[in-house]
Amino acid sequence: MDDSQDLFVGEDGRTRSVTVDLYNDSSLQVEISDAVSERDKVKFTVHTKTNLAHFKKTEFSVVRQHEEFIWLHDTYLENEDYAGIIIPPAPPRPDFEASREKLQKLGEGDGSMTREEFAKMKQELEAEYLAIFKKTVAMHEVFLQRLAMHPILRRDHNFYVFLEYDQDLSVRGKNKKEIFGGFLKNIVKSADEALITSMSGLKEVDDFFDHERTFLLEYHIRVKDSSLKADRMTRSHKNVAEDYIPISSALNVLGTQESSAISRSFIKLAELFEKLRKVEGRVASDEDLKLSDLLRYYMRDSQAAKDLLYRRARSLADYENANKVLDKARMKNKDVKQAENHQLVCCQKFEKLSDSAKQELIDFKVRRVAAFRKNLIELTELELKHAKVRAKATFCARGSAHHTVLENSKM
Amino acid sequence: MAAEREPPPLGDAEQTDFRELEDGEDLFISTASTLEVGFLSLYVDNVNRSEATEEVSLDSPEREPILSDEPSPAITPVTPTALVTPRIDPVMFERCKEELEEEANGDSFDIDISVSDPEKTSLSIFNKKEFSVKRRFSDFLGLHSKLASKYMHIGYIVPPAPEKSIVGMTKVKVGKEDPSSAEFVEKRRSALERYLERTVKHPTLLQDPDVQQFLESSELPRAVSTQALSGAGILRMVNKAADAVNKMTIKMNESDAWFEEKQQQFENLDQQLRKLHTSVETLVCHRKELSVNTAAFAKSAAMLGNSEDHTALSRALSQLAEVEEKIDQLHQEQAYADFYLFSELLSDYVRLITAVKGVFDQRMKTWQKWQDAQAMLQKKLEAEAKLQYANKPDKLQQAKDEIREWEGKVQQGETDFKQISKTIRKEVGRFEKERVKDFKAVIIKYLESLVQTQQQVGLFFFLSFVKDSVE
């Protein structure tokens, strides 16, 4: 169990596995130093270290809940100034339901398990619970760290408030109407997106963005699919590992019941399965962290990049419209000045957005490649390590099985 | 007509009939003649035989009339004492190998038998070194039912045959080409092979003429009594029910601690093996799932690699996909080993132990018979005493005759009981030895398979890692 705990502690404390620091600027360091899980909510302790003048202190902590993270994310989204930036995806809601249910079912007692079996299952489920907990902490932390690293986003006033204000932000969760409203907004948005991209007047003149759009559309679908399949594979791995528990236990009982020559073989086999269970469990959790989480994060991040492209396309559409209005005004010779101003504003907005988006998309690619490389290499190293442990365990077991055969045949 | 038949009611009449069987007698012949229930009388009547079988046949589409006239032609009544002396060199049948291959239509199997050291055997039939015969699945079942009826009630542990699976078989017959039916056929073939191997390993059974005929003769008369819904099938169910009721009512005074101990031991073993078997089946299922999911992920990763526009990363993802694909293959192989080595062994032994428990039950029945004979003798003695008093000389003679008859039966009962106890002790000893051997061999094979797959996983990742680190 120590191994998988190390995965979080041993790493560079600042950057988590799914993203990398492109700017290498340590003037604002944010981390989640502690987290407490209560009945149905999690309380995160956000710890900040900074030498920026804006803050009153150089080191401080506040306690935040999930809703407050979402609030912060939404304020960024709604801010026009950040339209040309990929807004880091919001962390998913902490969800312990499944894990809690399993623990409860185990507790309600299945008389068919031996005491040891029960203890092992409990240990497994508790480890699972802990892993989910760590993951949700990591996701919230990554969100904040990306904001802290970004030269523009880190200067947001709401961000300062989030980090510093030591009272409750009084941000209530969205009520039903607002959630519904959110759904509607999404539907409108995707309809709008479809409309804009299909408008013939809006042929993409810029090769870069054309390529990016094609790429992102396909990539997002593929990474979503991979994330799903990786999840299923990890789940299956966990199932296989868990299956070893009753097998090992039954073999142990058989071994102790037996008085014949095979009792030792049974016990050795039971020990082997126990070792294998631990290894398989770690393989599953490594896959989960290095592969599933990575893919899931980039599914969300690529969605955020797509959103950026949409905003740019929207702004381009506005610019084109402004041009049309200007032309009409010039023809009719009415409100020309007004139209000219409007067109200028739209043009500036579009160009600023485009420049910013270009840089952001380039950064996105760099980040993505670096994160994948790091995780794939780490995954391979871990798999190799596990394979060695597995091979050694089975090799030894086979050796001792042969040995007992030889022993017994001599008798 | 078949649908209207009902199993005969479990009255006292049937039970006494069963108990009065002479030991060596063919179970089917005697019961068929004594039970007067409607559908079973068809069994004895030769003319209607083909009708009966045609209507209830589920096993094979071809309906040929039965070749021989007698109800169970190949069963030759055998007295137990003659078989107990093993004259066969044990080396011989240990090396008698068989391989089963199944034929196209899925119901017929080729048995390849190779006999080593034919000179050592005193059985004249095995004079060829290698020969091959064709047998149907129902033939195996027929062989088993014959052996069971001949040997189980005198204490021999007869290896159980694989079970019929109506669902599985219909799927194969319907001609579905999917992998699950191929799996089913392979599973069945492997089970039949193990069954046959166990049967010929048993020194007493190998000498049985039915077994020899099964292994040797080119044509076997169709085994009728194995069909699931035939008259004989229903008779079997009735027997089983009767036995279960009997078991509850027999209270045996166990004077032999060995038997008590052994019975407990087998009870425990049975429980644990069943539990283990269930767990292993779950493992097989999950490993298959894992294999499927790994393959799906590999494909997905390959596609992701294709759409990735950074060349080096794209390559790395494709490599990951390849590795995962290979791992999926390994998972499949491992699942195969899990199943055929581990799970099937366990299920075989669960059924074998049921046979062992059956043999212990037979001993109880024998004991009961002995006790009943004693009780009857007592009654006859009392009756004779009464007659003495009443002074009826003709009835007195009859009473004395009956007493002599029952004294003989008591003697026989005691001998039978002692015999079956002795046989069981020997059988259990042999069974335990075989069991230890079986399990040891499988454990080693299973570990071998694990070692193989683990090594390969390591190799794949190592290779891909080397490639990756070059970038």
Side-chain angles (χ1 to χ4, degrees), chain B residues 383-399:
Chain B
E384 191 225 14
K386 280 209 197 104
L387 284 176
Q388 286 267 15
Y389 207 58
N391 206 359
K392 290 197 183 127
D394 50 339
K395 288 233 178 104
L396 202 59
Q397 186 51 43
Q398 184 190 10

Side-chain angles (χ1 to χ4, degrees), chain A residues 222 226 236 243-244 258 368, chain B residues 286-287 293 300 308 435:
Chain A
R222 298 273 171 88
S226 292
S236 282
D243 286 341
Y244 283 143
E258 281 282 330
R368 184 178 80 240
Chain B
H286 280 151
R287 227 198 265 280
N293 289 339
S300 183
E308 173 62 64
R435 179 170 75 91

Side-chain angles (χ1 to χ4, degrees), chain A residues 109-125:
Chain A
D110 183 3
S112 68
M113 285 198 235
T114 65
R115 230 198 337 229
E116 284 159 4
E117 237 179 286
F118 181 81
K120 282 193 195 139
M121 277 306 294
K122 186 151 164 268
Q123 199 187 52
E124 276 293 320
L125 289 180

Side-chain angles (χ1 to χ4, degrees), chain B residues 229-387:
Chain B
L229 292 185
S230 68
I234 298 186
L235 176 60
R236 265 199 299 277
M237 283 197 287
V238 169
N239 281 352
K240 271 204 197 138
D243 279 350
V245 172
N246 270 351
K247 210 163 135 187
M248 290 192 284
T249 53
I250 294 179
K251 288 248 179 344
M252 178 166 168
N253 308 331
E254 188 57 78
S255 50
D256 196 338
W258 186 91
F259 279 93
E260 211 171 310
E261 205 185 290
K262 279 295 167 191
Q263 274 191 285
Q264 189 55 50
Q265 205 184 314
F266 280 113
E267 194 56 54
N268 293 343
L269 191 59
D270 187 32
Q271 256 188 351
Q272 280 309 119
L273 284 183
R274 276 176 202 271
K275 219 168 129 194
L276 185 58
H277 181 232
T278 318
S279 308
V280 174
E281 279 192 317
T282 314
L283 175 67
V284 171
C285 181
H286 280 151
R287 227 198 265 280
K288 281 198 188 138
E289 243 177 55
L290 176 59
S291 158
V292 166
N293 289 339
T294 310
F297 173 71
K299 279 208 189 84
S300 183
M303 291 199 36
L304 184 64
N306 279 341
S307 61
E308 173 62 64
D309 64 350
H310 185 270
T311 15
L313 180 56
S314 167
R315 235 189 2 243
L317 285 170
S318 303
Q319 274 164 23
L320 178 68
E322 270 176 41
V323 172
E324 292 290 346
E325 227 179 79
K326 296 209 180 92
I327 291 189
D328 156 46
Q329 288 289 70
L330 291 179
H331 284 316
Q332 270 187 41
E333 281 171 25
Q334 187 58 56
Y336 188 87
D338 283 347
F339 180 70
Y340 280 104
L341 286 180
F342 212 174
S343 174
E344 286 285 81
L345 172 79
L346 290 171
S347 84
D348 280 352
Y349 268 91
V350 165
R351 289 208 315 279
L352 271 167
I353 291 190
T354 310
V356 172
K357 295 209 295 199
V359 149
F360 277 102
D361 290 342
Q362 292 292 343
R363 178 172 169 268
M364 277 212 303
K365 269 167 81 170
T366 313
W367 181 85
Q368 188 64 44
K369 205 167 146 193
W370 177 23
Q371 298 304 312
D372 289 345
Q374 279 189 324
M376 188 55 101
L377 177 63
Q378 201 54 41
K379 273 213 312 232
K380 297 292 178 190
L381 284 171
E382 283 168 9
E384 191 225 14
K386 280 209 197 104
L387 284 176

